[in-house]
Amino acid sequence: MSSIPAGYRVVELTADDWAEVEALDRWAAPEAADTVPDTPDGLPWERMTGFRDDKGRLAAVATAYDLAAFTLPGAQARTPGFTCMSVHPQDRRRGLLRAMMGLHFERALARGEALSVLTASETGIYGRFGYAVASWNYALTLPRHSPLAPPPGADREDLAVLIETVDPARHTPAVNHVLAGAAWSGGLTRPGWTPRTEAWTKRRLSHLDDQPADGYEPRRIMLVQRQAEPMAYAVFARNGHFSCHGGSASKVRLDETAALDAAASHLLWSRLLDLDLTSVVEAPLLAPNDPLFGLTLDLRGARAELHDGLWLRLLDVGRALAQRQYAADVDLVIELTDDHLPANQGRWRLRAKAFADGTEVSRSGAGADLACDVRALAAAYLGGASLAALAAAGQVVELVPGSLARASAAFAWPVPAGCNWIF
Ligand SMILES: CC(C)(COP(=O)(O)OP(=O)(O)OC[C@H]1O[C@@H](n2cnc3c(N)ncnc32)[C@H](O)[C@@H]1OP(=O)(O)O)[C@@H](O)C(=O)NCCC(=O)NCCS
């Protein structure tokens, strides 16, 4: 499937190759990318692939995180998170990324994985490989003291706040407890959410700690607990900045945050919005309809920017469609095109009951109700885009009247798709 550009060979890499991999990464991303850990044990070596030129020089690497419980509508499934794509500037545009992508697809399919996800440094790259934006993030900037609506239970006194310097070993269990719980909301899954293993969160917190951003203090953590149970957290840092008028204009910048209920979320945000000598809080990774939007009373006082979140690729369409749940009963045939993975092309019949397992997906010889490319299906897969909206943009064609409305209702999901970290 994947063709190797002339003059290069594929090599497997191990932690012994760390110095070379790190040097290559610094070439590819000169600003010391946030996503690449500072230590060799921070990288998923078991999925690391590289290309060397005929002199043995490392020219390209890529790997994938093993997202063992990646969250789908109504399910969780092992999914690779493609990452760390780095090609030396001297070797770019010779097809090395294309070759690494081909290997990634082959290996993920061989492992029985139906999807691949990534977060993109540049948005022009991944559509050609069949990925589409499957979740969206708001970056929200809130002025200090933005008023919040207290939800029921906000006045209870059983919640306590701890504010400490991040200590990866000590804080990892609390962070993971909240992350795992936040994959669910009101008994429904939160699509796109990634719980992490203990080792992985520990590495990530250490990595953030090792990389203070310009002018920012070391990473701090704010933890909300109910009778010692972690209920919400935010990893953040403040910069020291005084305006020309003598007042403080420091920012509070969040790396990640999650909460298990509305009262904990309210207390967390109330404290973040009331840190002395700060003027704004920047929260870069909020899903559309994040509870903070419901808590904030003066949304016009906030500034919101919409960004692409997760990019998703359906590798094995039959398995991918069968492994999620649907929000309405559905029985329809979709005619699919897929330039890169022809096994996905053709007509697929999807039969599902609302909010239930047991979805049936099969090849079909019947006439199709809808036609689209695999990218449109990827955009709708987590419920992040509606099939009707994609049809309005010409990306889905309704062949049988009425089928678009039924399909749109089924592919939607009540909890908006989000992405809790950038990798
Ligand atoms: C982005 C990067 C990985 C691309 O690697 P590459 O080996 O040059 O890519 P390829 O030669 O395989 O290109 C494959 C296709 O992607 C296109 N492409 C590559 N980089 C692109 C970019 N930044 N923007 C738009 N298109 C891009 C190529 O033009 C080519 O298009 P084609 O299919 O129409 O011929 C490499 O330039 C790099 O390491 N950049 C810096 C680090 C980075 O941004 N990594 C991505 C992390 S998400």
Side-chain angles (χ1 to χ4, degrees):
M1 186 197 302
S2 51
S3 78
I4 309 298
Y8 298 94
R9 65 193 157 87
V10 184
V11 287
E12 299 306 320
L13 298 163
T14 69
D16 294 341
D17 301 299
W18 164 244
E20 266 184 299
V21 170
E22 189 191 31
L24 177 58
D25 180 67
R26 298 298 173 238
W27 270 110
E31 288 176 26
D34 261 3
T35 50
V36 175
D38 274 354
T39 55
D41 67 345
L43 283 172
W45 292 100
E46 63 288 356
R47 294 184 186 226
M48 180 79 74
T49 304
F51 281 88
R52 291 191 186 279
D53 68 9
D54 42 21
K55 297 190 183 69
R57 187 181 53 92
L58 192 63
V61 293
T63 184
Y65 286 108
D66 178 10
L67 312 183
F70 180 69
T71 311
L72 312 176
Q76 291 180 299
R78 167 157 273 133
T79 298
F82 197 48
T83 190
C84 194
M85 306 71 132
S86 303
V87 176
H88 192 287
Q90 182 178 312
D91 304 275
R92 67 197 275 279
R93 306 303 181 266
R94 295 182 193 178
L96 288 170
L97 175 63
R98 181 174 293 279
M100 293 194 291
M101 191 66 86
L103 287 170
H104 169 60
F105 289 176
E106 278 172 27
R107 291 170 182 180
L109 282 165
R111 287 186 169 99
E113 293 158 345
L115 310 170
S116 165
V117 292
L118 56 83
T119 54
S121 60
E122 294 188 47
T123 52
I125 307 177
Y126 297 104
R128 63 171 51 71
F129 299 116
Y131 288 84
V133 178
S135 76
W136 296 88
N137 293 325
Y138 278 102
L140 200 65
T141 305
L142 286 162
R144 184 177 175 196
H145 292 145
S146 294
L148 301 180
D155 53 352
R156 280 167 41 188
E157 286 170 6
D158 57 354
L159 289 172
V161 176
L162 280 179
I163 306 174
E164 299 180 333
T165 300
V166 166
D167 174 344
R170 209 156 51 76
H171 293 128
T172 288
V175 166
N176 269 15
H177 177 84
V178 180
L179 270 183
W184 297 81
S185 170
L188 290 163
T189 56
R190 188 188 298 278
W193 197 259
T194 317
R196 297 186 295 238
T197 60
E198 294 251 321
W200 184 1
T201 291
K202 206 188 269 181
R203 289 193 309 241
R204 174 164 162 81
L205 293 180
S206 309
H207 173 59
L208 288 173
D209 209 23
D210 289 344
Q211 298 222 323
D214 253 4
Y216 279 81
E217 65 182 342
R219 293 305 200 286
R220 315 292 191 194
I221 187 165
M222 187 178 289
L223 262 179
V224 177
Q225 295 178 314
R226 178 173 290 130
Q227 279 131 30
E229 183 191 350
M231 294 299 294
Y233 79 94
V235 176
F236 70 97
R238 297 166 296 176
N239 67 358
H241 182 73
F242 281 83
S243 73
C244 54
H245 311 295
S248 171
S250 296
K251 290 178 184 169
V252 183
R253 207 184 58 181
L254 269 60
D255 294 295
E256 54 179 64
T257 182
L260 296 185
D261 69 22
S265 184
H266 177 263
L267 182 55
L268 181 84
W269 283 105
S270 302
R271 292 298 179 87
L272 286 167
L273 287 163
D274 189 25
L275 288 167
D276 289 342
L277 300 181
T278 65
S279 57
V280 292
V281 178
E282 292 179 342
L285 278 180
L286 300 177
N289 288 337
D290 183 280
L292 183 58
F293 290 99
L295 292 172
T296 303
L297 287 169
D298 177 17
L299 265 179
R300 284 198 192 160
R303 207 176 61 241
E305 281 173 23
L306 189 61
H307 297 276
D308 54 303
L310 281 171
W311 289 68
L312 183 144
R313 214 280 179 214
L314 303 176
L315 299 175
D316 177 338
V317 165
R319 291 196 51 194
L321 290 178
Q323 71 185 9
R324 63 156 283 187
Q325 290 186 352
Y326 295 83
D329 289 3
V330 67
D331 184 351
L332 55 84
V333 175
I334 304 174
E335 169 103 47
L336 213 61
T337 53
D338 187 338
D339 290 345
H340 275 265
L341 296 172
N344 289 327
Q345 306 221 75
R347 288 181 206 163
W348 294 92
R349 181 171 183 193
L350 167 68
R351 274 176 296 178
K353 291 276 173 210
F355 300 108
D357 293 335
T359 295
E360 289 174 37
V361 181
S362 55
R363 288 288 187 179
S364 174
D369 298 289
L370 298 176
C372 63
D373 186 68
V374 73
R375 283 171 293 194
L377 214 52
Y381 184 77
L382 298 177
S386 104
L387 287 170
L390 292 162
Q395 294 177 35
V396 175
V397 177
E398 184 182 47
L399 301 169
V400 174
S403 59
L404 183 61
R406 285 185 283 112
S408 300
F411 274 82
W413 195 248
V415 182
C419 164
N420 52 309
W421 70 309
I422 299 294
F423 54 94

